[in-house]
Amino acid sequence: MRPDNYSDGNNTEKVAGFQVLENPCVWMRAGVVNFHMCENHYDCVNCDFDRSMRRAMAAQAPPKGRAAQLGWAREMRLKYTGAFKPCRYFLTGKLGAPGQCQRDYDCDGCPIEMMLGYQPLTTAITGTKSPVNLEERPEIPNSEHSGKECIWMRAGVVNFHMCESDYDCYHCLFDRNMREAMTAESPSLVEPTSLTWEDRIQSRFETLGNECIYFMAGRTHVPRACLQNYACFSCPVHQKLADPKSVAPIPGHPPNIQMSSGFRVADDYYYHYGHSWVHVIHGGCVRIGIDDFMAKVFGRAKRIDLPPNETPLRQGHVGWVLARNGHRAPVQSPLSGKVLAVNRKVMEDPGRIHEDPYENGWLFQLEPSSLKQEAQMLYFGKTSRQWIEREHQGLLQLMGPEYERLAATGAETIGDLFGACPELGWTRLVRQFLRTGEKK
């Protein structure tokens, strides 16, 4: 129960025995959680806590049938495959809903979703009476749910939620999302199990840009933009400029390392322009990792989210995410295929990919689906080193003329560029060199 002299932050009056709460979270104002302070200046659209709480609320009434297996958004994408994609609120007849969805059913952060789907929270943040009041909590002594209060309700975290799974918290979507919302770390990529890894990763991250791979490597007289959707095997520019690529298996010995602009480049490895590499073990298996450029620019990762075994990946789509102190770096998969095994040692100690990115720091093994064709858009041999040199030039331009002059003296790039120069901006580094970003 709130005291009579409760302040919403606009009142600075001090009362003995009470502390004025200047920025209570909208979920606290709405009476859903008992205590949580806003740390995002009420920017709920970009708030991880708000996103997790909305998923937790949605999990109270999980979908049934085919939608439960595919996930609601994926079900809608399969149902409406043409140009017409109606807004879900338009289909239910809500006033103010647009007839057309402009976000391919990615409702997270959609202004229409915020306006029509969460009007109680909008009401709460305006300072009007909360739609959920602790004094008005319903009493249900004769209900079949009596005595089955959710553990989150018993712990005093949420004001009202009844257990619907006989306390099988391990398989409870509400519990999973509440634990994610309460964690001190940035939320991981855990989502309801009805969604696949690809669904989850693609709903949060996107790939950027469409520059020709030869333009990115500094070649002249080539188009800036790729006109073939990276189907390089059928591109006349590629056929004219490409180095021979046999994609033959490489014997299992330590890679021969060469230096290019201060960065290690492994011979006989194939490189994707998003700074991941491919090492062919045999025709039906390759290893995937990150290159030395990424390791030095972004520094030592604190956590790595890798796709589980049997996960299908698509070339050029985000395949895994590196995280450091609340920052996330989504990385494009260099090939399409199915994940065969992940490197558990790297998951336990992500620092391995920083110290030894090409041998012990591999991330996972993949069964490629179109190795010979997709390898045509990867850098190999001399072209790999030319591309790294061009990326290094872009990095120096980003850092400024003083660093360009320092590099001209032969100075090498330090092992943790972002840690030494955080003013460069994590997001800017991700967008420029990994060609990815988080969806807004």
Side-chain angles (χ1 to χ4, degrees):
M1 180 183 299
R2 294 173 178 169
D4 295 336
N5 51 8
Y6 173 79
S7 171
D8 62 359
N10 297 321
N11 184 357
T12 58
E13 180 182 359
K14 295 183 178 180
V15 179
F18 291 85
Q19 180 180 3
V20 177
L21 303 179
E22 296 185 355
N23 56 342
C25 172
V26 294
W27 290 94
M28 179 179 173
R29 290 191 176 190
V32 179
V33 299
N34 287 336
F35 186 81
H36 187 266
M37 306 307 293
C38 177
E39 300 175 351
N40 207 33
H41 304 291
Y42 292 111
D43 181 11
C44 298
V45 173
N46 296 305
C47 176
D48 288 330
F49 178 81
D50 178 80
R51 185 179 296 113
S52 298
M53 284 299 300
R54 285 189 279 118
R55 284 201 299 267
M57 296 299 106
Q60 295 183 79
K64 299 180 180 180
R66 186 164 181 257
Q69 298 175 358
L70 299 178
W72 180 87
R74 190 179 180 194
E75 173 78 4
M76 293 293 284
R77 295 186 190 110
L78 292 175
K79 184 175 182 180
Y80 299 99
T81 56
F84 176 64
K85 294 183 181 293
C87 172
R88 66 169 175 159
Y89 292 109
F90 174 80
L91 294 176
T92 57
K94 276 203 174 185
L95 296 177
Q100 183 82 357
C101 173
Q102 303 294 331
R103 300 169 62 92
D104 195 26
Y105 298 113
D106 179 17
C107 297
D108 230 8
C110 173
I112 303 300
E113 174 79 3
M114 297 296 290
M115 179 178 69
L116 298 179
Y118 298 94
Q119 288 176 335
L121 296 184
T122 305
T123 302
I125 200 171
T126 59
T128 57
K129 183 179 179 180
S130 169
V132 181
N133 193 310
L134 287 176
E135 299 176 330
E136 300 172 358
R137 177 182 291 176
E139 297 291 340
I140 48 172
N142 297 321
S143 169
E144 63 177 351
H145 294 291
S146 294
K148 291 187 177 181
E149 295 92 347
C150 173
I151 60 172
W152 291 96
M153 177 179 172
R154 290 187 176 183
V157 179
V158 299
N159 291 322
F160 185 79
H161 182 71
M162 306 305 294
C163 177
E164 299 175 351
S165 58
D166 293 326
Y167 295 110
D168 182 11
C169 299
Y170 183 80
H171 295 99
C172 176
L173 296 180
F174 179 80
D175 179 78
R176 182 180 297 115
N177 285 285
M178 283 300 298
R179 282 188 284 109
E180 179 179 338
M182 294 297 119
T183 184
E185 279 278 350
S186 298
S188 66
L189 300 178
V190 177
E191 299 270 356
T193 54
S194 59
L195 299 180
T196 66
W197 169 269
E198 186 177 12
D199 289 330
R200 296 196 299 268
I201 206 94
Q202 301 308 323
S203 69
R204 300 189 67 174
F205 304 104
E206 61 184 343
T207 55
L208 310 170
N210 64 336
E211 290 183 321
C212 171
I213 63 171
Y214 294 102
F215 177 84
M216 286 188 277
R219 300 294 289 266
T220 58
H221 307 297
V222 297
R224 181 185 182 95
C226 173
L227 304 178
Q228 299 285 334
N229 194 27
Y230 292 114
C232 297
F233 61 90
S234 62
C235 175
V237 175
H238 168 77
Q239 294 172 0
K240 180 180 179 181
L241 300 175
D243 297 324
K245 298 177 184 177
S246 63
V247 294
I250 306 300
H253 57 74
N256 180 39
I257 301 296
Q258 298 195 40
M259 301 301 293
S260 178
S261 299
F263 298 97
R264 293 172 289 179
V265 180
D267 283 348
D268 300 323
Y269 280 43
Y270 296 83
Y271 295 86
H272 186 269
Y273 62 79
H275 290 282
S276 56
W277 55 255
V278 174
H279 181 212
V280 181
I281 300 176
H282 55 76
C285 181
V286 300
R287 278 184 174 173
I288 306 292
I290 69 167
D291 67 10
D292 190 45
F293 184 94
M294 186 196 303
K296 287 184 176 178
V297 168
F298 293 93
R300 187 181 295 270
K302 298 297 184 182
R303 192 184 74 246
I304 181 168
D305 292 301
L306 293 176
N309 292 348
E310 303 297 320
T311 299
L313 298 180
R314 295 176 61 186
Q315 185 183 50
H317 288 218
V318 175
W320 67 93
V321 180
L322 305 181
R324 174 185 180 182
N325 301 336
H327 299 292
R328 287 172 288 192
V331 187
Q332 298 184 49
S333 175
L335 291 177
S336 301
K338 182 176 65 176
V339 176
L340 297 177
V342 298
N343 189 347
R344 296 294 176 185
K345 293 182 179 180
V346 161
M347 296 187 69
E348 296 169 359
D349 179 17
R352 286 175 176 265
I353 63 177
H354 184 269
E355 302 297 337
D356 186 11
Y358 296 119
E359 193 172 5
N360 295 322
W362 62 274
L363 300 180
F364 56 89
Q365 294 186 169
L366 187 80
E367 180 183 16
S369 56
S370 302
L371 178 58
K372 290 184 178 180
Q373 289 186 342
E374 293 186 339
Q376 303 309 310
M377 71 161 291
L378 304 179
Y379 298 116
F380 183 77
K382 181 177 67 174
T383 307
S384 302
R385 297 186 290 275
Q386 292 173 344
W387 164 67
I388 288 293
E389 291 172 2
R390 178 67 180 269
E391 292 288 85
H392 183 232
Q393 292 173 9
L395 181 62
L396 293 177
Q397 292 174 4
L398 195 65
M399 298 175 69
E402 292 184 2
Y403 290 93
E404 291 189 69
R405 289 192 294 270
L406 184 61
T409 67
E412 294 186 0
T413 305
I414 60 176
D416 183 1
L417 183 63
F418 176 76
C421 306
E423 65 276 7
L424 291 174
W426 181 275
T427 300
R428 182 164 57 168
L429 291 171
V430 168
R431 294 177 69 89
Q432 178 162 338
F433 297 110
L434 304 189
R435 281 90 179 177
T436 58
E438 293 196 48
K439 291 183 177 179
K440 297 181 179 180

